[in-house]
Amino acid sequence: MMKAAITGVHGYVPEYVLTNAELEKMVDTNDEWITSRTGIKERRILKGEGMGSSHMGAKAVQGLLEKTNTKPEEVDLLICATVTPDYVFPATANLICDMVGIRNVGSFDIQAACSGFLYALTTGTQFIESGKYKKVIVVGADKMSAIVDYTDRTTCVLFGDGAGAVLLEPAEEGFGVLDSILRSDGSGQIHLFQKAGGSRYPPTHETVEKRWHYAYQDGPSVFKFAVKNMADVSAEIMERNQLKGEEVAWLVPHQANKRIIDATANRMGVGPERVMMNIHKYGNTTAATIPLCLFDYESQLKKGDNLILAAFGGGFTWGSVYVKWAY
């Protein structure tokens, strides 16, 4: 069966660096507390009036097109995973296509919170495997600073802005996306959500005054659920594919919290030297964390490497994808 292989990856983060030291001046927190509990030292913030997730996504896609020598007219489909779309509509994917000169193709957004990139990657994979398309771009882009309350010390230390993109193309010889597991549990909505801005609670003076347009997180509940489910689904996909810990070249985990990442790696039997980690530099960029990891570690990847991608996000959503690296 034809597989969908990642044949290129590119990332983008804004220039502005928000350090723990700067956050100490904004809320009652300190570097030691943030670092010991999350592993985060700094995060990138997109500055500038009218700048949204699409601007970062377009930067990532433009870099991807250039490095893979792909012309805009060769792209068949673009999917963007985001929880911070520029607008309710049109889709951020539509805007990215316009910015980079991709015309007359399908483009749409997927919203699965921090698991969004895995959902989008799995969706894009189906179009390649079916033979319908030859070149599919999958983007993860989030401007989390737009929905973070910088008076709430429990959430403002966690998130940053960024984007990453991959190119999917047909592959044989067993390379590419080999397996995926996607899960959700809507009862988890009360623990991690943005209350207002949708059709339940459209914007009003009251919703703004109550600060309902910011992300809310019940940290202990999310942590407990994430540790169990991200580890469980990663172990499940390894067992399903008869993979032992030593056969996994890299764990590519969602960068939400270093302790969650460590727990997942331990459950899989993967040593810390084989875990992609950039949370210290970028914080949690939601749908962008996994492609940004692939971009940062690209030079260390070898053809044939077994990668386990794993994520957990609001909703709740979670999942794992098994990739055999193609270049």
Side-chain angles (χ1 to χ4, degrees), residues 17-262:
V17 178
L18 178 59
T19 64
N20 289 347
E22 188 174 348
L23 282 170
E24 289 176 7
K25 301 172 184 176
M26 299 164 63
V27 290
D28 181 17
T29 191
N30 60 72
D31 175 70
E32 192 280 327
W33 189 92
I34 298 170
T35 304
S36 64
R37 286 164 175 77
T38 68
I40 302 169
K41 282 290 188 182
E42 55 190 41
R43 62 292 288 148
R44 301 298 185 95
I45 304 297
L46 183 64
K47 299 279 190 176
E49 184 177 352
M51 301 293 282
S53 297
S54 67
H55 295 86
M56 297 184 293
K59 290 276 192 182
V61 172
Q62 189 63 52
L64 178 67
L65 293 174
E66 290 171 4
K67 75 189 289 186
T68 59
N69 294 312
T70 302
K71 297 176 183 176
E73 57 269 25
E74 293 178 316
V75 177
D76 299 307
L77 177 70
L78 187 143
I79 306 171
C80 178
T82 185
V83 295
T84 54
D86 290 35
Y87 309 115
V88 174
F89 66 89
T92 301
N94 299 168
L95 304 178
I96 292 171
C97 283
D98 183 56
M99 290 174 180
V100 301
I102 295 173
R103 311 278 182 225
N104 300 317
V105 304
S107 65
F108 58 90
D109 291 354
I110 282 184
Q111 207 276 64
C114 296
S115 307
F117 182 77
L118 295 190
Y119 273 67
L121 181 67
T122 302
T123 302
T125 293
Q126 314 304 312
F127 286 96
I128 298 291
E129 289 183 347
S130 70
K132 187 172 182 64
Y133 294 138
K134 299 294 184 188
K135 291 181 187 288
V136 174
I137 291 178
V138 179
V139 188
D142 271 303
K143 183 186 176 183
M144 291 304 294
S145 62
I147 60 169
V148 165
D149 183 353
Y150 285 97
T151 67
D152 178 7
R153 67 174 185 172
T154 63
T155 56
C156 73
V157 303
L158 301 175
F159 296 100
D161 304 337
V166 299
L167 177 63
L168 293 177
E169 295 184 274
E172 296 174 336
E173 303 173 329
F175 297 108
V177 177
L178 301 187
D179 197 9
S180 62
I181 301 172
L182 302 177
R183 299 271 161 79
S184 70
D185 181 353
S187 67
Q189 62 170 311
I190 59 173
H191 302 300
L192 181 53
F193 70 111
Q194 180 185 330
K195 189 167 187 176
S199 58
R200 282 198 189 188
Y201 298 100
T204 64
H205 287 295
E206 184 182 19
T207 63
V208 173
E209 288 167 3
K210 290 183 175 180
R211 308 183 82 77
W212 284 0
H213 293 268
Y214 294 118
Y216 166 79
Q217 175 170 288
D218 171 14
S221 297
V222 173
F223 180 84
K224 181 179 178 182
F225 205 96
V227 166
K228 180 182 188 303
N229 287 281
M230 207 161 110
D232 282 356
V233 76
S234 300
E236 181 181 346
I237 205 163
M238 287 173 63
E239 184 177 339
R240 208 156 83 170
N241 291 277
Q242 291 86 49
L243 277 176
K244 298 184 175 69
E246 60 270 20
E247 294 173 313
V248 176
W250 293 99
L251 167 63
V252 192
H254 170 56
Q255 307 287 300
N257 183 301
K258 188 176 183 298
R259 292 185 294 168
I260 297 173
I261 294 170
D262 290 343

